[in-house]
Amino acid sequence: MTTAANANTQETQDLEAEIASGSAKDFLTITIADQMFGIPVLQVQDVLGSQKVTKIPLAPREVAGALNLRGRIVTAINVRERLGLDPRLDDEEDMSVVVEHENELYSLIIDKVGDVLSLKNENYENNPATLDSVWREISMGIFRLESQLLVILDVPKLLKGVHA
Amino acid sequence: MDDLITEFLTETSENLGELDVGLVKLEQNPNDKELLSQIFRVIHTVKGTCGFLGLPRLEAVAHKGEDVLGLFRDGTLEVTPEYVTLIFESLDRIKLILDGLESTGSEPEGDDTELIQKLADVLKNAGVTPSDEVIMPDMADIIIEPKTQEETPEEQPVAAEPPPAAAPTPAAEDADQAVPKESSVANQSLRVNVDVLENLMTLVSELVLNRNQLLQILRSQVDSEFTAPLQRLNHVVSDLQEGVMQTRMQPIGNAWAKLPRIIRDISIELNKKIDLEMLGQDTELDRQVLELIKDPLTHMVRNSADHGIETPDIRAAAGKQETGTIRLNSYHEGGHIIIEIADDGKGLPLEMIKSKILSNGLATADEIAELSPQQIQQFIFKAGFSTAEKVTSVSGRGVGMDVVRTNIEKIGGSIELKSVEGQGTSVIIKIPLTLAIVSALIVESGKEKFAIPQLAVKELVMTSADGDSRIETIKGTPVFRLRDHLLPLVPLQELLKINTDTPSSHEDETDSEKESREADEARYANKYIVVTQVGSYTFGVIVDRVFDTEEIVIKPVPNILRDLDIFSGNTILGDGSVIMILDPAGIAKNSGEIEAAETMGGGAAAEAKIDSGMAKTSLLLFTAGNANPKAVPLELVSRLEEVKTAEIEKANGAFVVQYRGELMPLIPFDSSMEVMELESKPILVFSDKGSSMGLIVDKIIDITEQHIDIQIAGTKDGVLGSAIIEDKATDVVNVEHFLQTVNKDWFKDHDDNPYGANGSDSSGQRKRVLLVEDSPFFRNMLTPLLRVAGYEVTTTESAMDALKLCDAGHDFDIIVSDIEMPEMSGFEFAEKVKTQENWQNIPLVALSSHTTPQDMDRGIQAGFTKYIAKFDRETLLNTLSQTLSESYGEAS
């Protein structure tokens, strides 16, 4: 397990290093509870609409269930629950972003999927020290966009925090 | 890591594995030149490759080892146990270095001077014996080599300059013999990375699922043009699946390769004499399963050698042969592999287990007093339960039988233990052939579907609101009366906490207590109970609905769900949906503390293993042809299936159906039955020794537990006779008749013809037959048959049990015994019987599927009066009556 954990930190550090080095990075933007997040595009396997999910009894509350993606079983994660947010109130269709983590596929259930943005280093900032502790854990930093702020989602840490 | 080193490691570990087996053989037969050359060659290759890869430490050890082996091979040095131990020591050192190499990529630090010095001493001693040189003139050129070292002993410890003559000479010799053999083997096989095979398996599994999906769509369509191509696809995929599975199969002998060495080491260390017999080494099973059972197997064999087999003096004092035997046997049975580990050692020491139970506080003295020996033995499966009086270096390292059992149950297997104090212990492990594809029962609970591996499912019961099939409650806990036993029940919906918005009625205070109980029981009306067995613990899982069985591919659950031990995995069904697979062991664990000794199975097993003539039999009742109920012993039925009549085909003039990828012959119970009239028909599936047949019936009525007392012998083929079952005249079915109709080979056909007339017993008094037969299948089939023929039948499932009856003073008119039985064969049994005063005059009849003249001779020598083929009803009955009249006619 330690090696896997190391690999994650490694992944995160690499990304941070790349962001810091100033090379442009592409992020898929998503929206959860009116907040914009970015996921490094290379981590994204797929974007899905609402799916039929099989519930998994006794699983941690963040786990929404399991679904079949072209013959592979994908574990669906309710990101709202993970971020300590209330369930969604509007009745728009949920979206999912599929990511791979330690050779397993996870589908992150979120509100909306936006564009892919190419972001420059000069707009990057570390997490504000006053940020909510759960959010600070899953955020790799903030990009200042013109109209709003974009939180970079640390997918490995987001998934690691899900415990039975 | 360097590719070359990886390659080297793979090859070397394979070679070393072979060496372990080779060297033990060598010790037993020191003059086997061919073996010596083979061992020498392997170690020589290791040495040569090390030099090439720049592994100086490994090379130094291998080099000296090779030199000493060279002396053995040439006959210069006698192989003695001390020398073999030394060579083992060198091999272990080589393995140690290799392990280090594998984990770090370079040779680990360490000092081999002492070992190399020991090896050098051997060379030195051998070199100074002049007579050897004279005896072996043709080997002169090789013997010179150790001499050169002997002349320069000051330069030790490390032979810095290996004499150049050493390596090439044997290599050149070897080349001639080795090359033609190896090349022919090399052409037939190639090394494939396991990942490639795993990947292939995954893809095939997906393909199977896709095919299932297509077939399901096809079924819903009438007259589709895809029917024919899809049927072809179906067959091709089935073949492909089988082919790929085949690539993963490995002989179980691979997992056993290390055992001779382990046994040898133990016997030397503990001064024991142990013979290791290994049977069925070619039995193949999935490599994944093989990997998982390797350690448990090793552990158990080690246990047998360490705790089981006594030292020669103790054995001699107990009247046993000085050399103890550990026997491993493996064979296929249905979709399973059975592995038996038996020893003739001292058995499990009950008193010691009892005191250990007390000291560990697992049970009180009063509780123990009520337990049977078998129940007490089950305690060794508890954590931290080692009965070794002292911890030896051999076993007692804190891993116990509990780990073994957990590992085996993890792969869906089961483990059974039988032990007789003073006579030995036998452990029977049953494991699935492959983990990749299993058959599972799909159930529904709280509107969610789940899969339960079919292996764990014993039977299904539907409950009703009242009457016999009603679930009752004790303080809200549901239980069910299943054939004279109280079955603990687990409501799946509550266990999984799904949609439990209707909590139990206790909250409503206004309910009277009676009403509350009634409400509890009403909740469990019209549900299904999946009777499940984990080890010897039987319990029922309450579910809302039961669907079909499906072949599923078990996929592991993601890491974040690993802590949920209630699921063993998940899978994708034919309709594309994901389903969770329940782990019966997990359910048992999460629904209450399971005490091995308290379980119902243990209790049942604890009853003496003697079926008296009056014992009850579970019977399956059905109708076929007419409305009269028919009965068949439930133990003979391996499954009940519902077959769509559209899927029944005709081949070679008989009905067949495609069943689990094979053609299964079907016979209607009654030839007048209209097989095709309805959409589907229930089928009773009988399986034995890998072949199956289906008996088509009209309706399954019930399962009941009854004592069969056949009152009117049958006149029709396929009916043994009639008995009163559940107050109705019921025909008891002769399964053997149908089996023989379908498959003449079912009983390994016999040569001799029946004598003709049915030889039923003519004397007024019923003759007493003792039937010794380990297979429940044959036991269940023969007992009613003999009873119908007028005999009073007593059965035992082993020769040991039979001898106990002898000791207990039972008397019989004739004994019928199987030959191939675990623990004690029929031959040994016959020899023993002939030494018993009260039994020596009882005629013995051997039943065996081996009927070569040699076998028969051996049987007659062992003391059998007659030796007949298994199974030929007429001959058996004729032989019995003939033997009885001969024996007792003469006597009177």
Side-chain angles (χ1 to χ4, degrees):
Chain A
M1 245 5 250
T2 21
T3 44
N6 288 343
N8 287 338
T9 344
Q10 188 61 43
E11 224 170 88
T12 310
Q13 279 168 357
D14 285 354
L15 195 68
E16 275 167 359
E18 276 175 49
I19 293 169
S21 71
S23 54
K25 288 288 290 182
D26 291 339
F27 292 92
L28 175 72
T29 62
I30 56 172
T31 312
I32 307 163
D34 213 32
Q35 170 64 54
M36 196 184 242
F37 290 87
I39 300 175
V41 141
L42 292 178
Q43 289 182 12
V44 176
Q45 301 263 333
D46 226 314
V47 174
L48 307 171
S50 185
Q51 296 284 317
K52 188 184 158 224
V53 171
T54 301
K55 291 200 185 93
I56 305 174
L58 309 179
R61 54 191 169 75
E62 297 96 333
V63 176
L67 56 104
N68 168 11
L69 178 67
R70 295 185 291 272
R72 283 190 72 178
I73 295 176
V74 181
T75 311
I77 304 291
N78 186 339
V79 181
R80 270 181 178 261
E81 187 75 53
R82 173 74 180 89
L83 297 180
L85 298 169
D86 292 331
R88 199 172 179 184
L89 291 175
D90 58 40
D91 38 306
E92 275 182 64
E93 192 196 16
D94 282 335
M95 297 293 288
S96 294
V97 176
V98 180
V99 294
E100 186 160 345
H101 173 60
E102 289 172 9
N103 296 321
E104 287 165 355
L105 291 182
Y106 292 89
S107 150
L108 308 176
I109 302 177
I110 42 123
D111 294 358
K112 259 185 276 182
V113 175
D115 298 329
V116 173
L117 298 181
S118 203
L119 300 174
K120 288 250 160 52
N121 173 42
E122 60 241 39
N123 296 325
Y124 172 78
E125 288 199 28
N126 286 326
N127 286 330
T130 50
L131 190 66
D132 175 283
S133 65
V134 175
W135 284 54
R136 204 161 56 224
E137 191 193 327
I138 55 92
S139 161
M140 276 194 289
I142 315 288
F143 274 98
R144 283 174 277 112
L145 305 187
E146 266 180 35
S147 57
Q148 54 188 319
L149 297 173
L150 179 128
V151 179
I152 303 299
L153 212 52
D154 187 335
V155 175
K157 283 203 183 137
L158 179 100
L159 293 174
K160 258 183 69 192
V162 178
H163 285 303
Chain B
M1 205 190 299
D2 194 339
D3 276 355
L4 276 175
I5 295 199
T6 318
E7 190 88 338
F8 166 69
L9 284 173
T10 326
E11 195 185 301
T12 314
S13 60
E14 258 172 39
N15 287 341
L16 286 174
E18 281 171 31
L19 263 194
D20 273 346
V21 180
L23 275 171
V24 175
K25 282 195 215 143
L26 179 69
E27 199 178 29
Q28 290 156 358
N29 183 11
N31 298 317
D32 192 335
K33 283 277 176 221
E34 199 180 316
L35 202 56
L36 279 166
S37 310
Q38 185 206 337
I39 297 171
F40 180 87
R41 229 165 19 231
V42 172
I43 212 153
H44 171 74
T45 318
V46 172
K47 189 204 74 174
T49 328
C50 302
F52 179 64
L53 290 170
L55 303 166
R57 189 179 161 199
L58 196 55
E59 189 188 355
V61 176
H63 180 81
K64 271 286 170 284
E66 181 198 351
D67 285 350
V68 173
L69 272 170
L71 294 181
F72 296 149
R73 186 187 58 153
D74 307 337
T76 317
L77 209 58
E78 194 73 14
V79 182
T80 65
E82 294 92 80
Y83 286 146
V84 175
T85 307
L86 186 59
I87 293 289
F88 279 171
E89 213 177 299
S90 323
L91 284 176
D92 287 341
R93 187 65 58 86
I94 292 174
K95 279 183 202 159
L96 188 85
I97 302 175
L98 286 172
D99 285 346
L101 191 61
E102 194 169 0
S103 51
T104 63
S106 61
E107 284 190 322
E109 294 295 315
D111 184 21
D112 309 315
T113 331
E114 198 190 325
L115 177 65
I116 289 173
Q117 184 60 53
K118 271 198 224 166
L119 290 167
D121 286 346
V122 175
L123 292 175
K124 199 167 137 192
N125 292 340
V128 289
T129 318
S131 55
D132 284 353
E133 283 177 292
V134 183
I135 295 165
M136 295 281 174
D138 51 338
M139 290 295 170
D141 53 340
I142 300 177
I143 289 163
I144 289 166
E145 177 224 310
K147 246 178 110 188
T148 53
Q149 288 179 351
E150 180 219 343
E151 281 161 11
T152 56
E154 296 80 11
E155 284 174 31
Q156 299 296 351
V158 180
E161 292 166 288
T169 323
E173 276 176 14
D174 294 338
D176 300 340
Q177 318 161 351
V179 166
K181 259 193 217 162
E182 279 168 11
S183 62
S184 63
V185 174
N187 284 340
Q188 283 165 16
S189 61
L190 78 169
R191 196 172 299 197
V192 181
N193 192 323
V194 171
D195 290 345
V196 176
L197 289 182
E198 291 291 316
N199 200 17
L200 206 57
M201 189 65 214
T202 317
L203 290 173
V204 168
S205 305
E206 295 310 337
L207 194 61
V208 169
L209 294 174
N210 270 317
R211 176 208 52 193
N212 292 353
Q213 233 165 316
L214 284 174
L215 290 177
Q216 199 159 9
I217 297 169
L218 187 72
R219 261 176 234 139
S220 62
Q221 307 208 325
V222 197
D223 253 2
S224 166
E225 55 185 311
F226 293 116
T227 310
L230 273 178
Q231 283 303 343
R232 276 201 298 280
L233 177 75
N234 184 7
H235 290 138
V236 174
V237 170
S238 297
D239 289 352
L240 182 64
Q241 183 185 347
E242 207 165 288
V244 172
M245 302 268 267
Q246 202 59 47
T247 63
R248 295 159 51 99
M249 295 305 228
Q250 287 188 332
I252 194 162
N254 289 6
W256 292 354
K258 285 196 171 65
L259 298 178
R261 164 81 192 271
I262 290 170
I263 294 300
R264 177 207 169 266
D265 285 356
I266 293 176
S267 43
I268 288 187
E269 187 178 336
L270 304 176
N271 283 322
K272 293 181 180 179
K273 289 187 181 168
I274 307 174
D275 255 357
L276 181 68
E277 279 178 33
M278 300 196 282
L279 305 170
Q281 302 190 47
D282 298 332
T283 311
E284 290 194 320
L285 73 169
D286 193 287
R287 58 163 284 281
Q288 200 185 351
V289 183
L290 194 75
E291 282 302 314
L292 288 167
I293 59 156
K294 220 182 223 177
D295 289 345
L297 271 185
T298 312
H299 180 83
M300 276 185 292
V301 170
R302 198 184 268 152
N303 261 349
S304 286
D306 189 15
H307 307 320
I309 304 283
E310 313 92 326
T311 47
D313 45 323
I314 298 178
R315 289 185 67 89
K320 298 187 191 177
Q321 287 180 341
E322 284 196 359
T323 308
T325 308
I326 298 175
R327 182 157 51 159
L328 282 166
N329 188 11
S330 79
Y331 51 91
H332 286 232
E333 196 181 275
H336 298 100
I337 295 242
I338 312 287
I339 303 170
E340 298 170 353
I341 302 155
D343 67 59
D344 60 353
K346 61 173 181 262
L348 292 175
L350 278 184
E351 288 311 315
M352 216 181 290
I353 298 178
K354 280 184 195 166
S355 62
K356 188 94 182 193
I357 295 172
L358 282 177
S359 66
N360 286 12
L362 294 168
T364 63
D366 287 348
E367 283 166 352
I368 292 176
E370 286 180 11
L371 297 177
S372 68
Q374 277 88 348
Q375 284 173 313
I376 291 167
Q377 285 164 3
Q378 298 304 319
F379 272 93
I380 66 156
F381 288 115
K382 293 248 170 204
F385 208 98
S386 175
T387 53
E389 282 162 271
K390 55 177 190 253
V391 173
T392 60
S393 76
V394 178
S395 56
R397 293 181 179 120
V399 244
M401 293 298 282
D402 61 316
V403 180
V404 170
R405 182 165 80 164
T406 316
N407 283 353
I408 286 169
E409 281 176 2
K410 217 184 272 171
I411 54 174
S414 63
I415 181 164
E416 209 179 294
L417 179 116
K418 284 185 204 160
S419 176
V420 180
E421 197 160 357
Q423 296 183 18
T425 307
S426 80
V427 176
I428 296 169
I429 302 171
K430 186 174 178 184
I431 42 176
L433 266 182
T434 174
L435 300 183
I437 295 189
V438 299
S439 169
L441 184 71
I442 312 296
V443 299
E444 188 182 82
S445 183
K447 305 232 160 45
E448 299 286 335
K449 282 187 188 178
F450 299 95
I452 304 178
Q454 189 82 51
L455 183 71
V457 179
K458 302 288 285 180
E459 63 183 294
L460 293 172
V461 179
M462 196 188 158
T463 69
S464 57
D466 43 32
D468 285 346
S469 50
R470 170 176 68 109
I471 293 180
E472 293 166 78
T473 57
I474 309 169
K475 198 181 180 297
T477 309
V479 289
F480 185 76
R481 298 181 200 212
L482 182 71
R483 289 189 294 279
D484 298 341
H485 284 292
L486 209 54
L487 186 72
L489 295 179
V490 181
L492 191 61
Q493 189 170 357
E494 283 162 39
L495 181 69
L496 297 178
K497 303 188 178 74
I498 19 175
N499 307 332
T500 42
D501 37 41
T502 46
S504 69
S505 55
H506 295 293
E507 289 183 3
D508 202 343
E509 297 291 336
T510 57
D511 271 358
S512 77
E513 281 169 353
K514 184 167 188 279
E515 278 169 353
S516 120
R517 170 190 287 270
E518 278 168 1
D520 268 346
E521 292 183 2
R523 272 194 304 137
Y524 295 125
N526 302 319
K527 301 261 183 184
Y528 289 85
I529 300 173
V530 180
V531 183
T532 311
Q533 189 168 18
V534 176
S536 57
Y537 174 56
T538 309
F539 62 100
V541 180
I542 306 177
V543 298
D544 297 342
R545 289 174 72 188
V546 172
F547 299 94
D548 219 351
T549 53
E550 268 199 55
E551 300 278 295
I552 57 168
V553 183
I554 298 187
K555 303 183 175 211
V557 292
N559 262 321
I560 56 170
L561 300 175
R562 282 288 141 79
D563 296 342
L564 291 180
D565 55 7
I566 209 151
F567 301 116
S568 56
N570 48 19
T571 195
I572 299 172
L573 289 183
D575 65 1
S577 63
V578 176
I579 188 168
M580 300 305 292
I581 302 162
L582 291 165
D583 178 7
I587 297 179
K589 200 173 137 201
N590 283 284
S591 58
E593 184 67 20
I594 301 165
E595 298 297 332
E598 289 169 10
T599 59
M600 180 174 131
E607 293 157 16
K609 294 217 162 117
I610 302 163
D611 274 332
S612 80
M614 294 298 122
K616 288 185 171 181
T617 315
S618 290
L619 294 171
L620 179 80
L621 300 179
F622 61 92
T623 58
N626 52 35
N628 292 346
K630 319 263 184 299
V632 59
L634 186 63
E635 282 206 50
L636 295 181
V637 183
S638 54
R639 277 181 304 278
L640 298 179
E641 296 284 347
E642 188 93 8
V643 171
K644 292 203 174 59
T645 44
E647 288 173 7
I648 299 180
E649 298 166 61
K650 275 224 164 191
N652 202 8
F655 293 117
V656 292
V657 67
Q658 291 180 27
Y659 183 69
R660 301 189 175 180
E662 282 175 20
L663 279 183
M664 178 170 79
L666 293 179
I667 351 181
F669 179 79
D670 192 318
S671 50
S672 64
M673 273 169 67
E674 283 301 326
V675 175
M676 301 299 184
E677 70 189 329
L678 289 168
E679 202 175 300
S680 65
K681 280 276 183 190
I683 305 274
L684 317 185
V685 181
F686 301 103
S687 300
D688 192 47
K689 306 260 188 290
S691 47
S692 299
M693 66 145 286
L695 185 64
I696 309 175
V697 302
D698 286 336
K699 193 171 168 237
I700 310 274
I701 309 172
D702 198 4
I703 292 171
T704 174
E705 203 154 89
Q706 292 276 332
H707 158 237
I708 321 179
D709 183 10
I710 293 177
Q711 311 205 330
I712 307 168
T715 47
K716 214 172 84 176
D717 279 348
V719 176
L720 281 175
S722 304
I724 302 173
I725 294 170
E726 306 231 302
D727 301 331
K728 278 186 190 152
T730 305
D731 292 340
V732 179
V733 174
N734 177 10
V735 177
E736 169 245 336
H737 165 76
F738 293 102
L739 295 178
Q740 284 208 328
T741 314
V742 162
N743 189 351
K744 292 277 185 281
D745 294 334
W746 192 289
F747 299 105
K748 299 244 172 81
D749 220 8
H750 46 86
D751 307 324
D752 41 357
N753 290 313
Y755 299 112
N758 193 338
S760 68
D761 190 33
S762 52
S763 72
Q765 205 187 350
R766 285 189 164 201
K767 293 287 184 192
R768 291 153 303 172
V769 178
L770 172 64
L771 174 64
V772 186
E773 164 67 72
D774 64 310
S775 148
F777 187 85
F778 280 105
R779 218 164 47 232
N780 281 310
M781 202 161 67
L782 288 174
T783 312
L785 189 96
L786 291 170
R787 242 168 238 165
V788 166
Y791 294 100
E792 191 182 309
V793 188
T794 304
T795 60
T796 67
E797 61 182 73
S798 76
M800 306 270 191
D801 289 340
L803 288 173
K804 264 182 242 156
L805 289 180
C806 176
D807 292 342
H810 289 259
D811 195 17
F812 296 98
D813 294 311
I814 191 161
I815 300 172
V816 179
S817 171
D818 186 19
I819 293 299
E820 296 82 20
M821 289 185 291
E823 289 172 22
M824 187 189 287
S825 78
F827 296 129
E828 289 170 59
F829 172 62
E831 283 161 9
K832 283 252 164 64
V833 167
K834 288 295 158 195
T835 64
Q836 308 283 336
E837 209 173 298
N838 54 340
W839 276 19
Q840 59 185 353
N841 292 324
I842 302 179
L844 278 161
V845 174
L847 268 187
S848 173
S849 40
H850 296 282
T851 47
T852 61
Q854 290 95 312
D855 287 323
M856 295 202 172
D857 284 351
R858 190 166 166 209
I860 302 299
Q861 261 173 21
F864 281 107
T865 324
K866 289 274 162 59
Y867 192 104
I868 56 173
K870 187 193 204 178
F871 167 76
D872 177 355
R873 178 185 175 182
E874 299 292 317
T875 312
L876 173 64
L877 294 176
N878 282 334
T879 310
L880 283 184
S881 62
Q882 215 177 30
T883 316
L884 280 170
S885 64
E886 277 169 15
S887 306
Y888 295 95
E890 278 164 21
S892 56

